[in-house]
């Protein structure tokens, strides 16, 4: 989504009122409880908060002209990769194996085998439709941020069903 993002794609920038700023801070604090100790450093109450509206229903939250969070179609606020690299423990993580790295960086969706094969790590507490940081085997920083389509339990259940079907077919 942001690979070829430029300033020409911003259609409007507005400094938000204090009430809207509180609502955004509250929404981010609820979504990412790990940010609570550093919330005042990331989103200072006295600094102006700017919301930039972009194409494809994308909203960017800027503080001091630095994009910190984004949301698509009034969905939940997601941290930018730069912010996630500074505070890596604010989101749940999934890890893909080495073979998936180049495809994920090219914009491909992550398939279940990339998470369940050797080198992949799947957190059992991840629920469906939850934001996650995508880590890569052998790498320190996240390479993507996304939403899960199904829970970790459903991913394992589908994998086991596929293995049983394959064993029955032979």
């Amino acid at each position: 989504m942001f690979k070829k993002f430029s300033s020409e794609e911003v259609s409007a920038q507005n400094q938000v009122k204090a009430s809207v700023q509180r609502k955004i801070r509250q929404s981010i604090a609820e979504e990412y409880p790990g940010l609570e100790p550093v919330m005042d450093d990331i989103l200072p109450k006295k600094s102006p908060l700017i919301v930039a509206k972009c194409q494809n229903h994308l909203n960017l939250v800027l503080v001091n002209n630095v994009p910190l969070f984004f949301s698509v179609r009034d969905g939940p606020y997601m941290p930018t990769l730069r912010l996630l690299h500074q505070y890596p423990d604010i989101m749940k993580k999934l890890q893909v194996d080495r073979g998936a790295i180049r495809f994920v960086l090219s914009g491909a969706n992550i398939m279940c085998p990339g998470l369940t094969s050797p080198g992949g790590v799947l957190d059992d507490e991840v629920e469906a439709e939850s934001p996650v940081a995508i880590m890569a085997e052998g790498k320190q920083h996240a390479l993507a941020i996304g939403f899960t389509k199904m829970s970790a339990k459903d991913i394992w259940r589908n994998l086991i069903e596929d293995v049983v079907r394959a064993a029955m077919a032979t």
Side-chain angles (χ1 to χ4, degrees):
M1 175 184 304
F2 295 115
K3 195 170 187 178
K4 297 179 183 177
F5 188 78
S6 67
S7 61
E8 289 122 25
E9 295 182 37
V10 176
S11 59
Q13 293 187 63
N14 297 325
Q15 182 175 340
V16 295
K17 298 187 292 187
S19 60
V20 176
Q21 186 172 351
R22 279 192 305 272
K23 182 179 170 188
I24 291 172
R25 282 177 57 93
Q26 180 183 8
S27 174
I28 291 170
E30 288 173 1
E31 187 71 35
Y32 306 105
L35 276 178
E36 194 66 38
V38 294
M39 184 63 86
D40 289 333
D41 295 336
I42 295 171
L43 297 171
K45 292 181 180 178
K46 298 294 182 183
S47 292
L49 188 78
I50 296 172
V51 174
K53 297 185 186 242
C54 306
Q55 297 174 357
N56 299 326
H57 304 280
L58 175 71
N59 292 329
L60 294 173
V61 176
L62 302 144
V63 175
N64 299 326
N65 289 329
V66 177
L68 298 176
F69 293 92
F70 67 94
S71 70
V72 180
R73 293 192 183 271
D74 296 325
Y77 288 98
M78 305 276 285
T80 60
L81 275 176
R82 184 170 297 187
L83 183 67
L84 185 61
H85 291 169
Q86 290 175 344
Y87 303 99
D89 296 327
I90 62 173
M91 298 179 77
K92 293 189 181 196
K93 298 178 179 122
L94 301 178
Q95 180 175 307
V96 296
D97 60 4
R98 288 187 185 275
I101 294 172
R102 69 179 185 154
F103 298 107
V104 173
L105 289 175
S106 297
N109 291 334
I110 298 169
M111 304 298 174
C112 296
L115 297 169
T116 56
S117 65
V121 176
L122 188 58
D123 184 359
D124 291 335
E125 298 176 7
V126 174
E127 295 297 322
E129 300 298 324
S130 62
V132 291
I134 308 301
M135 308 300 284
E137 177 185 10
K139 304 297 179 191
Q140 178 183 3
H141 295 294
L143 61 117
I145 298 172
F147 281 102
T148 57
K149 291 289 184 184
M150 52 175 112
S151 69
K153 293 174 186 171
D154 290 338
I155 292 172
W156 281 115
R157 191 175 305 123
N158 287 342
L159 178 70
I160 291 169
E161 288 174 5
D162 289 345
V163 169
V164 169
R165 266 192 238 117
M168 293 174 69
T170 55

